[in-house]
Amino acid sequence: MSERFNSNKVFVTDALHSDALFASLLLDKEFHSKLYDEEILALDPTTMYSTTDCSDKFFHIANSTLRYYVRMLEGYLEIYVEGRKKRLPFLSVFKIHMVLLALERGETISDIQVKLALKSIPQQNSGNAKGNKYNDEILDQLFSEFERRQNVIMETHALHNTINQIERELLKGTTSKADRERQIEIIEEKIKNHRLYRKMDRQAGNVLRKSFELNKRTGLFSLFSRKATYDPEQIETEILVDEKLIKADNLEVEFIKQIEILKQEISEIETEVIALGKRLAVESARLTNERELLLQTNED
């Protein structure tokens, strides 16, 4: 963890030790780890942040949604107004982070307002004008449901992007593997041709050496005129070279090293492709679940 993360963690813990919302999230096993979010706690505590920064960069929600929360939490959040713009200090940004976690946990804005003593527990039929179809509680529930559906849509879109990225990486891995396999085939062909040339060179040298030996003993034309002076099968045996006995030279050794490197790269690619395949299966299952949830919310 960075030094800023640790110092910000100490700061918010000290500043919010008596905050009811902070305490409830801190004691919640499911949301305890989410409370100390690395991205939020890595922010500069001396900077003032706009609502656009908070909505777009930090929380990834609509700016109008964030402004609604800011308005409903007036008195809890420290807000600075510059003309028509609102600026939030670091601690207020962290408080909004806590509010979003509480909403994720299933609470409504009204629940949070009561918990923060921003309003009293509403009494049935009190404070509502006659004929008012939507009181604050109903509006909060409607807004919460709308946001839940919007979150499902956003999650589905994010999963689509993730799956597309994995599929591109899989295609890249498959192409890279095929390219290296082709390189190995080319190098193996080079080794084959190189050994063949070396074999032919040795056999040509043996022919010259044997011809020189025969000419030295019997004369220049005796190889063709006096058949009794040599054994053709023996000469053939002495001339021909067994390729298996040819040891690898420096060039062939270098080719073999290249093949080993390519095989290692192929092994690494195969491991990565297997991992990507498993990840794709998981993300595809998640997308199926999100689609079913989206259909369910639309039916509701």
Side-chain angles (χ1 to χ4, degrees), residues 240-297:
L240 296 181
V241 176
D242 186 353
E243 188 175 333
K244 296 179 181 179
L245 300 178
I246 300 177
K247 296 182 179 180
D249 60 3
N250 291 337
L251 181 58
E252 186 174 341
V253 169
E254 184 62 32
F255 283 149
I256 293 174
K257 287 181 180 179
Q258 293 177 18
I259 289 176
E260 290 303 317
I261 292 172
L262 289 169
K263 286 182 177 179
Q264 179 61 34
E265 291 177 354
I266 288 174
S267 177
E268 293 173 356
I269 291 172
E270 287 175 340
T271 301
E272 184 178 355
V273 166
I274 291 173
L276 286 170
K278 292 180 179 178
R279 186 182 168 200
L280 179 61
V282 171
E283 297 297 337
S284 296
R286 286 183 60 197
L287 179 60
T288 300
N289 292 337
E290 290 296 333
R291 282 173 174 166
E292 291 176 355
L293 182 58
L294 183 59
L295 289 174
Q296 180 182 348
T297 56

Side-chain angles (χ1 to χ4, degrees), residues 211-228:
S211 176
F212 177 77
E213 290 177 355
L214 292 173
N215 289 337
K216 185 176 181 181
R217 286 186 301 172
T218 60
L220 182 61
F221 300 102
S222 61
L223 181 63
F224 304 103
S225 60
R226 298 177 61 187
K227 296 182 180 179

Side-chain angles (χ1 to χ4, degrees), residues 38 81 106 128 136 162 166 212 223 245:
E38 292 185 23
V81 180
N128 294 325
D136 288 344
T162 300
I166 294 174
F212 177 77
L223 181 63
L245 300 178

Side-chain angles (χ1 to χ4, degrees), residues 62-238:
N63 188 256
S64 58
T65 302
L66 182 69
R67 286 179 174 273
Y68 169 80
Y69 294 151
V70 170
R71 185 171 67 254
M72 298 301 289
L73 297 170
E74 186 175 352
Y76 176 62
L77 301 177
E78 188 178 5
I79 306 168
Y80 295 88
V81 180
E82 298 177 0
R84 298 181 60 183
K85 295 182 179 179
K86 293 182 178 180
R87 302 286 182 182
L88 304 172
F90 168 72
L91 190 58
S92 291
V93 175
F94 190 83
K95 287 180 177 179
I96 294 174
H97 163 62
M98 293 195 302
V99 169
L100 293 176
L101 288 180
L103 290 170
E104 181 183 341
R105 189 164 57 178
E107 299 179 39
T108 66
I109 285 292
S110 287
D111 295 333
I112 297 170
Q113 287 175 319
V114 171
K115 183 176 292 184
L116 296 173
L118 296 178
K119 75 175 185 178
S120 59
I121 300 175
Q123 300 296 322
Q124 188 174 5
N125 297 327
S126 65
N128 294 325
K130 185 178 181 180
N132 184 8
K133 184 178 179 180
Y134 299 110
N135 57 27
D136 288 344
E137 185 69 26
I138 294 175
L139 286 173
D140 286 341
Q141 291 176 357
L142 290 173
F143 187 86
S144 178
E145 177 62 20
F146 170 78
E147 185 177 32
R148 183 176 70 87
R149 297 187 184 192
Q150 188 178 42
N151 288 337
V152 173
I153 294 173
M154 291 176 63
E155 181 67 18
T156 302
H157 180 70
L159 285 171
H160 269 298
N161 291 338
T162 300
I163 289 173
N164 289 338
Q165 178 64 28
I166 294 174
E167 288 175 341
R168 286 194 294 269
E169 291 176 3
L170 274 171
L171 178 60
K172 181 180 177 182
T174 304
T175 304
S176 297
K177 179 185 175 183
D179 178 62
R180 283 161 175 77
E181 289 173 341
R182 178 55 183 158
Q183 290 182 51
I184 289 176
E185 291 178 359
I186 293 173
I187 294 174
E188 288 177 339
E189 188 67 24
K190 288 181 179 179
I191 292 175
K192 181 179 178 181
N193 291 334
H194 180 62
R195 293 184 67 83
L196 178 60
Y197 293 148
R198 291 180 64 201
K199 175 182 177 180
M200 293 173 63
D201 286 343
R202 288 192 181 187
Q203 290 183 165
N206 288 343
V207 169
L208 291 175
R209 178 177 55 78
K210 195 64 182 177
S211 176
F212 177 77
E213 290 177 355
L214 292 173
N215 289 337
K216 185 176 181 181
R217 286 186 301 172
T218 60
L220 182 61
F221 300 102
S222 61
L223 181 63
F224 304 103
S225 60
R226 298 177 61 187
K227 296 182 180 179
T229 61
Y230 67 92
D231 183 353
E233 291 184 0
Q234 181 182 354
I235 291 178
E236 182 178 355
T237 301
E238 294 177 2

